[in-house]
Amino acid sequence: MDIVNVILTQLRETSVIMGIIALVGLLLQRKSAVDVFSGTVKTIIGFMIFNIGSNAMSAQVTIFANMFSTAFNINGVVTQVEAATAMALNQYGLEVSLVFVLGFAMNLVFARFTPFKAVFLTGQHFLYFACVLALVFIALGAPTVITVVAGGIILGFCGAALPSFCQPFVEKLTGGANIAIGHFNCIGYAFSGYVGKLFTKSAEKAQSEEKELPEFFKLFRDFVFSVALFMVVLFYVVTIACYVTGNFTEEITANFGNNVWFIWPFMAGLQFAAGMSVLIYGVRQFIAEITAAFVGISEKLIPDARPAVDCPAIFPFAPNAVIIGFIGSFLGGLVAMAILIAMGSDTIFIPAAGICFFSGGTCGVCGYAYGGWKGALLGSFIVGIFLCAGCLFLYPAFAELGIADASFPNVDYNIVGSVIYGIGSIFA
């Protein structure tokens, strides 16, 4: 039984799912045994490298978020989907798991028999959405069978259909239709992309009138340097704020290790940039392998199928827009938090830096596709407001179920979940 549990645990790993997809695709193409083995292993390794970079960045972002809250003495509900998912699994693990499994199967069915061809490969985000849907139906008092069947069908449909919303902007950036975004903030990304279209003419004019930059500013064409510089500045801001306000805690000082406080922020910013470099390398490897392998699945099983992969897969196509999107989204979250405070809301949501980086950064990339830096900044700013304040729609219902102190921030969760909850409330 222990061996079975270990195997099941490994099969839930997204890297293994990617490897299985690559294996099936290569077998369907009748590749040689060497090519099948090589392609499968390279896909898994590429995604592992991607995860190493992602985890390195996430660790630094988490530290930044904790220091920001401590420095400015802000307490409230963190818009952190991982924490909310852990709570949901602890209390409603059976319902969530069944919705997740049925949802993945239905995703393949919808991709096969409908015009929506995305096959959602980002397992963790599929799980997050399964939590939201299960909690919505449970909050409505639906029986377990209805929760699982309705939740699974809706999840499968969303996995196949929602990536099509932002696909025009992905194709504009990548120059092709080989991949889609497998991250349930697609409505937000599409919105940011259309906001970017408002600045199309000014972006084209700026591109046509581009002048030779001074030598120093040419450094910013290197996205690693740009990311490193921006993150170093951010870490110095929160570190100095902690130091001035006397809010250093043992947890914060533990981040410094053997470095003095005014050296550590510099190293933390470089660590973040190093993580992003690793992530970009991993993305390039696993995308190259999975798209080649996906030809077999597309031709044999699901005609015109498109792999929907995690949002950082499009970061290399506009790396500076990622940072602009992060800034815009984080500022939007702070504005939403200030509005909630001014309105006397009983629940104050704190923008999570991780969500702002990955979701906001992708908004920046989509807004940049047509609108340049103006589209990236405005699009991510507006979506950033919703990433923070939008949690208020479903949070009261989830809090009654015991899912408190954390929330599900992405746009798709709250729009789809709120529609279902609103309609269900009429018949409840």
Side-chain angles (χ1 to χ4, degrees):
M1 184 60 69
D2 290 339
I3 295 176
V4 173
N5 289 335
V6 170
I7 293 174
L8 291 175
T9 300
Q10 291 300 315
L11 289 176
R12 287 197 294 267
E13 291 288 332
T14 306
S15 59
V16 177
I17 294 174
M18 290 286 189
I20 293 173
I21 295 294
L23 174 64
V24 171
L26 293 169
L27 288 174
L28 289 174
Q29 294 179 69
R30 298 182 180 180
K31 297 287 186 179
S32 67
V34 172
D35 288 340
V36 170
F37 180 76
S38 174
T40 303
V41 170
K42 284 182 178 179
T43 301
I44 295 174
I45 291 175
F47 200 83
M48 287 179 170
I49 295 172
F50 165 83
N51 274 337
I52 290 171
S54 179
N55 291 337
M57 290 191 300
S58 296
Q60 298 304 315
V61 167
T62 300
I63 293 171
F64 170 80
N66 292 336
M67 294 182 69
F68 182 88
S69 298
T70 302
F72 299 102
N73 195 28
I74 296 174
N75 296 310
V77 177
V78 179
T79 52
Q80 194 71 43
V81 68
E82 292 84 1
T85 299
M87 296 176 192
L89 289 173
N90 285 336
Q91 299 186 52
Y92 306 102
L94 175 63
E95 293 88 342
V96 171
S97 299
L98 293 176
V99 170
F100 174 81
V101 172
L102 180 59
F104 186 77
M106 292 305 300
N107 180 199
L108 299 178
V109 172
F110 281 114
R112 175 65 179 85
F113 296 106
T114 72
F116 304 115
K117 298 300 181 181
V119 176
F120 210 94
L121 299 180
T122 314
Q124 68 271 29
H125 291 284
F126 222 64
L127 177 62
Y128 301 156
F129 209 173
C131 288
V132 172
L133 293 172
L135 291 173
V136 166
F137 282 104
I138 292 170
L140 289 169
T144 301
V145 173
I146 299 297
T147 297
V148 172
V149 174
I153 292 174
I154 294 170
L155 179 60
F157 177 77
C158 289
L162 289 183
S164 64
F165 285 22
C166 51
Q167 190 61 29
F169 308 102
V170 175
E171 294 181 11
K172 167 70 174 177
L173 287 162
T174 63
N178 293 330
I179 63 171
I181 295 180
H183 190 269
F184 283 120
N185 195 41
C186 294
I187 298 173
Y189 301 147
F191 178 84
S192 182
Y194 285 111
V195 169
K197 281 195 168 186
L198 300 175
F199 301 98
T200 300
K201 291 184 178 180
S202 62
E204 292 175 350
K205 182 179 179 181
Q207 185 177 8
S208 64
E209 296 179 355
E210 184 177 358
K211 299 178 180 179
E212 187 70 16
L213 293 173
E215 196 67 29
F216 173 75
F217 288 101
K218 290 181 181 179
L219 292 172
F220 291 92
R221 291 179 175 174
D222 183 343
F223 80 92
V224 176
F225 175 82
S226 300
V227 170
L229 180 61
F230 175 70
M231 293 308 296
V232 165
V233 171
L234 279 187
F235 274 108
Y236 269 113
V237 168
V238 294
T239 302
I240 293 172
C242 285
Y243 186 79
V244 171
T245 58
N247 284 326
F248 273 114
T249 64
E250 291 184 4
E251 181 182 0
I252 290 178
T253 54
N255 297 328
F256 300 154
N258 294 323
N259 298 319
V260 293
W261 72 268
F262 54 83
I263 295 178
W264 177 83
F266 179 76
M267 301 305 296
L270 298 188
Q271 178 73 22
F272 183 92
M276 189 167 187
S277 298
V278 174
L279 179 144
I280 296 301
Y281 178 81
V283 164
R284 287 172 178 166
Q285 177 163 322
F286 91 78
I287 289 296
E289 298 295 333
I290 198 69
T291 51
F294 223 78
V295 173
I297 294 174
S298 177
E299 292 178 348
K300 303 292 183 180
L301 297 180
I302 306 176
D304 301 320
R306 185 181 297 115
V309 296
D310 206 353
C311 58
I314 66 169
F315 284 5
F317 297 97
N320 289 331
V322 177
I323 301 302
I324 296 173
F326 176 33
I327 297 171
S329 178
F330 195 72
L331 291 175
L334 294 178
V335 168
M337 186 176 67
I339 293 173
L340 291 174
I341 294 173
M343 293 176 62
S345 173
D346 294 333
T347 305
I348 305 299
F349 294 99
I350 302 172
I355 291 294
C356 291
F357 179 77
F358 289 104
S359 294
T362 310
C363 284
V365 174
C366 290
Y368 181 85
Y370 286 95
W373 71 268
K374 293 179 182 177
L377 184 60
L378 182 59
S380 60
F381 175 79
I382 297 173
V383 175
I385 294 175
F386 191 90
L387 286 173
C388 187
C391 301
L392 195 58
F393 294 149
L394 291 172
Y395 183 78
F398 291 173
E400 289 183 3
L401 297 176
I403 313 302
D405 299 326
S407 58
F408 297 90
N410 277 337
V411 176
D412 295 355
Y413 304 151
N414 290 294
I415 288 182
V416 175
S418 296
V419 170
I420 296 170
Y421 189 77
I423 295 174
S425 298
I426 297 173
F427 299 100

